[in-house]
């Protein structure tokens, strides 16, 4: 089904953005800055209002920037081939092997058989599996895989749509757990959610001489985030839904059949995913105090030319070659056609906008205008960023929010003389923290569509998780993140 296009909304967005062109120039607010601001606002409004599909809105720079004299077509088009785009493409294909051969169902059985099937333990097991899968597979794909499993589980307990009673409360907590864990789990690795890659791409485009956060470094703060957030998520949904304690339920009643022997395809997919993760984590040098573990990229002529996208595309290519039966291969070409091309274009449009905001002088101007924030206590500054970005992500997609916030956070950091990552990382993590409304994230929308969740219940538990996420991000940015990335506040 095609996404709806509203000509009326497009016209309103154009009129609002065009009003900036009436503003007089002064000082650093030059004609180039004015045009860039108008185009950037137009794109942001198209994303926020969903007047057109997000991928279509991301093509605006290819037309607007050359016509406005901001940058040439060649320069504008280059960010659409940013390495982060290919990292997402390769990561999507590698993770598709997991779904294609049903490994997520085997994981659900394993978790429930180990954690237990008492109602509260069921919720925890589902959250745990969903969060782990979402570290490697997109939030939306993870939710689409886990929601039928969760619905089968709560159906086995006797829960029904729009019903009341203890079974309904268990269903509510379980489905909310799927949505929330899918968003939280994406923070664990750079490829877990597109917003993470937006940060990596924007950082490379805006600060090419700065240290690049590696896959391993990201996990050094992403995993601690999950260690703190996942139990809190479970506690919140269990308490707000008032999940009762009860006796363990047989797995057969939950609709989770015991898996048969491991197939050749399952084993191959698991090994491929494990090797991919190891190659990502061990690519660059890992500093452990005074000891440094050399990365495998040093084995090649120029280690700096190799990045995580190189690994992703290599392993995806191998997946298409590996035989898993007489005629089957680990991946076939139909999986390539399932790549969300609109998301890849969205990446490119966001990166192109970020580069234009920097090259036109907009970032410098915006940073100067927001420099008063530099007088705030650092903790207050980070909390304010988390709150603002979280509220934006409640009404707009997390991808659109992260794309819009990266250049603003970078400009503000430059203006107040702090390392840009100290504002960009909290902003991008907070963009994945929209938990209150069904429209906030795709996982929220998917589980809401099952009929087991009331908006009031999602809002009640979501606001608590929003607050908890902001607190965790603030804690990590002053403790774990500087240690993991090796960067200093100033």
């Amino acid at each position: 089904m095609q996404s709806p296009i509203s000509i009326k909304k497009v016209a309103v967005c154009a009129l609002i953005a065009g009003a900036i062109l009436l503003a007089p120039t002064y000082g650093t607010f030059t004609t180039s800055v004015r045009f860039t601001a108008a185009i950037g606002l137009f794109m942001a409004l198209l994303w926020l209002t969903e007047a057109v599909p997000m991928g279509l809105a991301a093509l605006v720079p290819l037309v607007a920037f050359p016509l406005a004299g901001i940058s040439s077509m060649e320069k504008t088009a280059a960010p659409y081939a940013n390495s982060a785009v290919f990292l997402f493409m390769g990561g999507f294909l590698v993770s598709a092997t997991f779904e294609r051969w049903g490994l997520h169902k085997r994981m659900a059985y394993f978790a429930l058989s180990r954690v237990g099937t008492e109602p509260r333990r069921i919720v925890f097991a589902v959250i745990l599996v969903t969060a782990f899968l979402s570290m490697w597979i997109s939030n939306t794909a993870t939710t689409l895989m886990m929601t039928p499993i969760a619905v089968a589980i709560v159906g086995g307990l006797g829960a029904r749509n729009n019903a009341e009673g203890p079974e309904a409360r268990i269903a509510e907590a379980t489905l909310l757990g799927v949505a929330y864990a899918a968003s939280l789990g994406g923070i664990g690795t750079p490829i877990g959610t597109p917003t993470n890659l937006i940060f990596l791409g924007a950082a490379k485009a805006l600060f090419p001489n700065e240290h690049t956060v590696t896959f391993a470094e990201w996990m050094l703060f992403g995993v601690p985030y999950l260690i703190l957030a996942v139990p809190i998520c479970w506690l919140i949904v269990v308490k707000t839904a008032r999940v009762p304690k009860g006796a363990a339920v047989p797995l057969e009643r939950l609709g989770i059949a015991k898996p048969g022997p491991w197939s050749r395809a399952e084993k191959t997919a698991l090994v491929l995913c494990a090797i991919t993760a190891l190659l990502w984590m061990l690519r660059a040098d890992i500093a452990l105090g005074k000891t440094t573990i050399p990365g495998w990229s040093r084995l090649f002529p120029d280690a700096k030319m190799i990045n995580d996208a190189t690994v992703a595309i290599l392993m995806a290519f191998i997946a298409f070659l590996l035989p898993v039966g007489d005629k089957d291969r680990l991946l076939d070409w139909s999986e390539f056609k399932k790549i969300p091309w609109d998301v890849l274009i969205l990446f490119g449009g966001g990166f192109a906008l970020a580069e234009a905001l920097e090259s036109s002088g907009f970032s410098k101007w915006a940073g100067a205008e927001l420099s008063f924030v530099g007088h705030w206590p650092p903790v207050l500054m980070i909390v304010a960023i988390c709150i603002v970005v979280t509220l934006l992500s409640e009404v707009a997609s997390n991808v659109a929010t992260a794309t819009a916030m990266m250049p603003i956070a970078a400009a503000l950091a430059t203006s107040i003389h702090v390392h840009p990552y100290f504002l960009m990382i909290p902003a991008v993590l907070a963009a994945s923290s929209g938990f209150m409304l069904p429209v906030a994230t795709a996982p929220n929308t998917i589980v809401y569509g099952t009929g087991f969740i009331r908006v009031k219940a999602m809002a009640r538990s979501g606001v608590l998780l929003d607050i908890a996420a902001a607190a965790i991000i603030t804690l990590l940015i002053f403790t774990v993140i500087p240690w993991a990335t090796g960067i200093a506040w100033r």
Side-chain angles (χ1 to χ4, degrees):
M1 184 177 68
Q2 292 183 339
S3 299
I5 294 178
S6 173
I7 301 298
K8 184 178 180 180
K9 286 183 179 180
V10 173
V12 171
C13 292
L15 285 174
I16 295 173
I20 293 180
L21 299 177
L22 302 177
T25 58
Y26 65 91
T28 56
F29 190 74
T30 62
T31 301
S32 180
V33 170
R34 185 171 60 181
F35 270 111
T36 306
I39 295 168
L41 178 60
F42 179 57
M43 292 176 65
L45 290 173
L46 290 179
W47 283 328
L48 293 172
T49 62
E50 297 182 341
V52 299
M54 297 188 71
L56 181 59
L59 295 174
V60 168
L62 294 172
V63 177
F65 289 160
L67 292 179
I70 295 170
S71 63
S72 66
M73 184 63 178
E74 289 75 14
K75 186 176 180 181
T76 304
Y80 288 81
N82 188 293
S83 64
V85 174
F86 292 97
L87 175 58
F88 180 82
M89 179 191 292
F92 176 87
L93 290 170
V94 170
S95 64
T97 64
F98 225 81
E99 179 182 3
R100 176 176 164 84
W101 299 106
L103 284 173
H104 58 297
K105 295 179 181 178
R106 187 178 287 277
M107 285 187 61
Y109 179 86
F110 177 83
L112 285 168
S113 63
R114 296 299 186 277
V115 174
T117 55
E118 183 268 330
R120 295 188 177 191
R121 289 173 179 258
I122 289 174
V123 176
F124 185 72
V126 170
I127 288 175
L128 205 61
V129 172
T130 305
F132 177 78
L133 286 174
S134 191
M135 290 174 65
W136 314 100
I137 305 172
S138 76
N139 303 352
T140 303
T142 300
T143 309
L144 289 172
M145 286 192 293
M146 289 301 298
T147 297
I149 295 175
V151 169
I153 289 172
V154 298
L157 293 172
R160 297 292 179 266
N161 290 356
N162 304 311
E164 298 290 338
E167 293 85 4
R169 295 200 296 273
I170 297 171
E172 186 175 275
T174 304
L175 271 299
L176 281 175
V178 169
Y180 295 163
S183 295
L184 292 172
I187 292 174
T189 66
I191 63 165
T193 177
T195 55
N196 300 349
L197 298 176
I198 287 171
F199 160 74
L200 294 175
K204 183 178 180 181
L206 298 175
F207 305 100
N209 296 323
E210 286 290 348
H211 168 73
T212 300
V213 178
T214 66
F215 198 98
E217 288 172 347
W218 187 286
M219 287 192 70
L220 284 175
F221 66 81
V223 172
Y225 177 93
L226 292 182
I227 291 173
L228 294 173
V230 166
I232 292 174
C233 171
W234 170 75
L235 187 63
I236 287 173
V237 297
V238 164
K239 291 296 184 182
T240 56
R242 295 179 292 116
V243 175
K245 295 181 179 180
V249 180
L251 280 170
E252 294 75 16
R253 184 180 158 194
L254 298 178
I256 303 294
K258 183 177 180 179
W262 282 76
S263 68
R264 178 180 174 184
E266 288 177 310
K267 293 177 182 177
T268 306
L270 185 63
V271 170
L272 181 86
C273 291
I275 292 175
T276 303
L278 286 173
L279 288 175
W280 274 328
M281 289 186 283
L282 302 177
R283 175 184 60 81
D285 295 351
I286 300 176
L288 301 173
K290 296 181 180 180
T291 305
T292 299
I293 301 174
W296 58 260
S297 58
R298 285 194 180 191
L299 299 173
F300 294 85
D302 191 341
K304 293 181 180 179
M305 290 188 176
I306 302 170
N307 62 19
D308 292 328
T310 312
V311 174
I313 296 299
L314 170 65
M315 300 308 287
F317 189 85
I318 291 173
F320 283 104
L321 302 179
L322 289 174
V324 291
D326 293 337
K327 296 181 179 180
D328 291 328
R329 300 195 181 276
L330 195 59
L331 282 182
D332 61 33
W333 195 243
S334 63
E335 299 296 331
F336 188 86
K337 296 177 181 178
K338 295 179 184 177
I339 290 174
W341 295 100
D342 56 333
V343 176
L344 299 185
I345 295 296
L346 179 61
F347 282 154
F351 298 152
L353 176 60
E355 286 199 12
L357 291 174
E358 180 67 23
S359 62
S360 68
F362 174 88
S363 294
K364 183 178 180 181
W365 170 80
E369 294 296 315
L370 294 171
S371 59
F372 67 90
V373 176
H375 300 295
W376 293 6
V379 172
L380 178 60
M381 192 188 313
I382 299 300
V383 170
I385 287 174
C386 290
I387 291 174
V388 169
V389 176
T390 298
L391 290 176
L392 280 175
S393 69
E394 292 288 358
V395 295
S397 79
N398 53 3
V399 173
T401 301
T403 302
M405 287 303 300
M406 285 302 94
I408 295 175
L412 176 59
T414 302
S415 176
I416 63 177
H417 307 294
V418 301
H419 196 288
Y421 293 178
F422 273 92
L423 300 189
M424 294 173 72
I425 290 178
V428 80
L429 297 184
S432 294
S433 300
F435 301 110
M436 287 178 55
L437 301 175
V439 297
T441 65
N444 286 14
T445 304
I446 292 167
V447 299
Y448 178 73
T450 63
F452 286 102
I453 297 174
R454 299 163 297 163
V455 174
K456 186 194 302 184
M458 182 176 284
R460 184 173 59 242
S461 57
V463 68
L464 295 176
L465 194 52
D466 280 344
I467 294 170
I472 294 171
I473 293 168
T474 303
L475 173 65
L476 294 181
I477 197 65
F478 291 107
T479 54
V480 177
I481 293 177
W483 165 78
T485 60
I487 56 178
W489 170 256
R490 294 185 185 272

